[in-house]
Amino acid sequence: MAARAAVATTDRYASEVGFRVLRRGGNAVDAAVASAFALAVVNPEAGNLGGGGFLVVRRPAGSLLALDFRSQAPGAAYRAMYTRPGVERSEASLLGHLSAAVPGSVAGLWEAHRKLGSTAWSELVEPAVRLARGFRVRERFARSFPAGIVEGLRRFPHSASVFLPERSGGRPARPRTGRLFCQPELARTLERIRNRGADGFYRGETARYIVEEMRSGGGIITHADLESYTSVWREPVCSRYGSHSVVSVPPSSSGGITLALSFQIAAALGLAREEWHGAGHIHLLAETWRRAYADRNHHLGDPAFVEVPVHGLVDPGYARDRARTIAREAATPSAEVGPGNPAATGGRHTTHLSVIDPAGGAASLTTTLNTWYGSKLTVPGAGFLLNNEMDDFTVEPGTPNSFGLVQGEANAIAPGKRMLSMMTPTIVLNPSGGLHMVVGTPGGATIVTTVFQIISNVLDHGMTLAEAVVAPRVHHQHLPDRIAYEPGGLRRRAREALGALGHRLHEEEESWGDVQAIAVLPDGSLRAVSDPRRGGTALGF
Ligand code: GLY
């Protein structure tokens, strides 16, 4: 609970950094930038210098902005780079040098600060420098090393030396809770960024380390790729849901459009009238998302390369047409649900943070390396992990990516193109245009459905923000054709009724998402919630 300002991130250290920036009078963007740099140190499985992301901002006077700092394909990338003979398709787009795209994070944070920041840049990076010199390992970080991740990191000696500092059975092993975890190379990289801004990353010593590693390991990122990378300010995607407005990011993320289309279909179906987590509610959610994801997978890609029918897809009339294809008494097999025809008018592995400042400014920022610890490749000399974002492209039409998404032509690989993301940093406005909620989550393909459920739980089902975040989640993404639910998260009666409607159900082994959200209550006070599923922290004053 907070009176004026709050920050929620996936890690306590990072939340404390943002909190102190706000306390000293920094605005929401300052706090978001400082927390994001801190996450690159203390949440290295997802927080990053070597990845990319998206930011949505509401300025205190009400204007809304979206910044795209998505990673992008190197200039030497080409369509069949993972399907040509001799390439191990299942690995090349996910592990090591060739899986890495040109990072966008530092450019994005630099640009967000240049345009909207009010605190000196060096003050925002300095806390991350200090954390990189050493922080005590807490449970959340120690738990970010499942066996498959440790195996991946062991494939790269430099990654093992940085992230697996202990020994187990004579082999490098994960950090232990309570130990001091030091990243001296990363500290020096952050010092260069602190002193020189984005040039401290994209030019000079840091860039040389990246390019040298690419050359020695068969990667393709060049100095020209790094020097030419820029983040892009874009028009946010705004849609109505009841009397509220939902504001999120446009392509190169699919998040905002898929979320907006889902809300429009839900509104046409009268989803809010259904009993929460009754069979009718889950059925309509699944049918809504089945269609929204079919559209996402077919129509969306980097707008610099493909014509994206943004306005058509979020048009309520189009959503009503999509809703008319939904039967209340039976599931529609995904095989029978193709993309619609909108008018052409127009990684459970990521990390999110939300901030509201005392002046009513808000920042919603999602950033990613793609899967945990990205490519597993740490740049020697520079001490940070590179992403494996290339796997978010349509590597092979008809073949699922690591999130099971089966994508289309619009998202094919091309030099300089941004791979389609699911990231959905979102801001919800109340009927008079004031701030109501800041929300986002990691979770790969589940990001949109998770953000949808948080907002719908609050607006449609009267839950408090904490109840909305804690509530069990369901998910459908067109293919695979099934309703996924969190362990124990769906009552037997609902499961039986959904089976009778023709749905396939799949209980996941683990819960998903790591929602960081803040709500403004009618009296103006704040409630900030960090998802209990993984162990982040919300702070405020
Ligand atoms: N790599 C996860 C996403 O961008 O959706």
Side-chain angles (χ1 to χ4, degrees):
M1 298 194 289
R4 302 169 57 223
V7 52
T9 85
T10 49
D11 193 282
R12 182 171 190 93
Y13 286 114
S15 295
E16 286 165 351
V17 166
F19 176 86
R20 284 195 287 270
V21 169
L22 291 168
R23 264 279 189 230
R24 286 199 301 266
N27 66 23
V29 169
D30 293 328
V33 167
S35 289
F37 276 118
L39 285 170
V41 179
V42 299
N43 188 178
E45 73 271 25
N48 62 81
L49 301 183
F54 295 87
L55 169 71
V56 178
V57 175
R58 178 189 186 270
R59 299 175 93 169
S63 59
L64 297 158
L65 298 97
L67 183 62
D68 174 340
F69 53 98
R70 179 66 161 165
S71 317
Q72 70 182 35
Y78 60 97
R79 193 187 175 87
M81 61 188 278
Y82 302 111
T83 50
R84 69 194 151 96
V87 170
E88 178 50 63
R89 178 279 146 282
S90 60
E91 259 196 24
S93 66
L94 276 168
L95 192 76
H97 300 74
L98 217 48
S99 68
V102 182
S105 288
V106 178
L109 298 177
W110 174 246
E111 173 59 19
H113 176 263
R114 185 198 65 77
K115 191 174 171 83
L116 303 169
S118 66
T119 302
W121 171 258
S122 59
E123 283 181 41
L124 303 180
V125 187
E126 180 60 23
V129 173
R130 291 213 194 111
L131 285 165
R133 288 181 190 143
F135 69 89
R136 284 280 154 216
V137 175
R138 292 195 180 124
E139 193 56 27
R140 195 211 57 76
F141 176 39
R143 276 193 282 117
S144 71
F145 293 89
I149 297 286
V150 171
E151 280 314 312
L153 291 168
R154 281 180 182 153
R155 300 263 299 262
F156 301 95
H158 201 69
S159 295
S161 74
V162 173
F163 293 106
L164 305 175
E166 306 287 340
R167 305 294 290 180
S168 166
R171 306 184 71 196
R174 66 170 178 82
R176 291 215 189 100
T177 309
R179 295 280 176 92
L180 195 63
F181 186 72
C182 303
Q183 302 171 81
E185 287 180 347
L186 179 62
R188 286 193 291 278
T189 298
L190 284 162
E191 283 169 10
R192 290 190 286 278
I193 293 168
R194 178 196 63 196
N195 298 344
R196 298 183 53 214
D199 280 355
F201 184 89
Y202 293 94
R203 292 165 192 272
E205 193 174 338
T206 313
R208 270 201 305 282
Y209 288 133
I210 297 173
V211 174
E212 274 165 23
E213 182 56 24
M214 286 287 129
R215 283 192 188 130
S216 72
I220 56 175
I221 298 175
T222 63
H223 280 293
D225 290 326
L226 293 168
E227 285 167 19
S228 61
Y229 182 88
T230 51
S231 57
V232 185
W233 290 102
R234 301 193 191 276
E235 194 68 33
V237 176
C238 299
S239 61
R240 301 288 289 180
Y241 186 56
S243 50
H244 288 74
S245 300
V246 179
V247 182
S248 194
V249 286
S252 58
S253 180
S254 62
I257 289 182
T258 314
L259 185 69
L261 175 56
S262 299
F263 273 123
Q264 301 302 324
I265 297 175
L269 293 169
L271 184 82
R273 291 193 295 273
E274 298 291 328
E275 179 209 352
W276 185 82
H277 265 214
H281 178 227
I282 305 289
H283 169 62
L284 293 185
L285 282 176
E287 294 303 316
T288 296
W289 295 332
R290 190 196 301 281
R291 285 154 181 83
Y293 274 69
D295 280 344
R296 174 239 183 245
N297 292 340
H298 179 79
H299 289 293
L300 302 189
D302 182 344
F305 288 75
V306 292
E307 187 91 14
V308 178
V310 175
H311 299 291
L313 283 167
V314 301
D315 180 68
Y318 174 67
R320 281 195 293 276
D321 288 346
R322 288 303 256 162
R324 272 194 276 276
T325 68
I326 294 173
R328 287 187 184 257
E329 60 288 347
T332 324
S334 287
E336 292 170 20
V337 176
N341 191 14
T345 51
R348 57 197 74 182
H349 307 82
T350 300
T351 184
H352 179 83
L353 63 90
S354 294
V355 189
I356 294 181
D357 67 29
S364 186
L365 185 150
T366 311
T367 179
T368 191
L369 288 168
N370 196 22
T371 56
W372 270 10
Y373 293 91
S375 63
K376 317 290 183 290
L377 173 68
T378 306
V379 179
F384 60 84
L385 286 151
L386 285 169
N387 67 80
N388 58 352
E389 279 304 345
M390 293 300 283
D391 193 65
D392 270 352
F393 276 120
T394 308
V395 166
E396 194 173 3
T399 306
N401 75 356
S402 67
F403 300 116
L405 290 167
V406 180
Q407 311 184 91
E409 191 58 33
N411 190 31
I413 303 174
K417 187 173 175 183
R418 297 181 184 203
M419 60 296 292
L420 192 60
S421 172
M422 294 288 330
M423 287 186 270
T424 315
T426 298
I427 290 175
V428 180
L429 303 177
N430 63 30
S432 49
L435 200 53
H436 183 63
M437 221 187 290
V438 183
V439 56
T441 184
T446 65
I447 290 176
V448 169
T449 58
T450 299
V451 170
F452 181 101
Q453 285 167 92
I454 304 304
I455 297 171
S456 169
N457 285 348
V458 171
L459 299 187
D460 297 334
H461 301 286
M463 292 187 195
T464 64
L465 186 61
E467 289 167 341
V469 172
V470 169
R473 295 167 191 152
V474 296
H475 174 70
H476 198 298
Q477 60 181 47
H478 185 246
L479 293 173
D481 187 352
R482 66 190 190 192
I483 297 172
Y485 61 99
E486 291 190 304
L490 212 48
R491 289 188 296 263
R492 187 157 59 92
R493 212 155 46 115
R495 293 202 307 271
E496 287 170 356
L498 287 162
L501 289 170
H503 287 285
R504 279 202 309 130
L505 293 160
H506 175 74
E507 182 173 17
E508 292 284 349
E509 281 173 22
E510 288 177 22
S511 56
W512 64 79
D514 195 2
V515 173
Q516 310 300 322
I518 309 174
V520 183
L521 302 194
D523 67 0
S525 69
L526 308 178
R527 293 291 180 275
V529 179
S530 183
D531 204 323
R533 286 169 179 75
R534 288 210 53 231
T537 300
L539 297 171
F541 59 84

